[in-house]
Amino acid sequence: MNLPNKLTLTRIALIPVFLGVLYWGFPGSRIVALGVFILASLTDLLDGKIARKYNLITDFGKFADPLADKMLVTAAMLWFVECGKMPAWALAIVLCREFAVSGLRMLASDKGRVIAAGWSGKVKTAATMVCIVLMFLPIPAALNALCVWVITLTTLYSGVEYFLVNRDVFESL
């Protein structure tokens, strides 16, 4: 197993640590959980850079890397919904987009096509990660609401773009 794949597996392994720290609820647990989240997010940056630079791209990485990202982000957002920092409808939009894009990728794969992450998907991921970090900090309610809207709107935009750019996947259905 190569280093990028090990980093992806590390990110997955950090998710229960992240949630455990959050739910343990000791003084300062949110800051420790934030540190774990940031560490896990940094593994995402590193695994992609290393995989591309040293041509270590694998089928496992293509599958596990985006899955690890979705798992980490979903875990954080579920906690935000539970503690009232994010409305459930916003999380529903994020999850529906992720399921829809994953379905689109499966259809494309059946036709021998790989749909790589687009620019808007990368912006969505970066904006989501930054907003999640901010939402862990003691920020004003207005900034928290702005973060929810940034996550929701970048998610919607990138989802629509994926379907418009790849609409030919549906031509022979």
Side-chain angles (χ1 to χ4, degrees), residues 44-120:
D44 183 33
L45 288 175
L46 281 175
D47 69 12
K49 285 184 186 236
I50 293 168
R52 286 186 294 277
K53 183 175 182 178
Y54 297 103
N55 196 27
L56 297 173
I57 297 167
T58 65
D59 287 339
F60 175 79
K62 288 178 191 176
F63 164 75
D65 180 62
L67 180 63
D69 296 343
K70 289 170 183 49
M71 292 165 62
L72 179 63
V73 166
T74 300
M77 289 184 183
L78 281 167
W79 189 78
F80 288 143
V81 168
E82 187 172 326
C83 71
K85 291 190 69 112
M86 175 178 259
W89 61 261
L91 177 56
I93 288 171
V94 170
L95 292 175
C96 287
R97 181 259 187 215
E98 296 304 337
F99 286 130
V101 170
S102 294
L104 175 66
R105 284 190 166 124
M106 283 191 280
L107 284 174
S109 176
D110 286 347
K111 296 180 176 201
R113 253 179 74 188
V114 174
I115 298 177
W119 181 83
S120 67

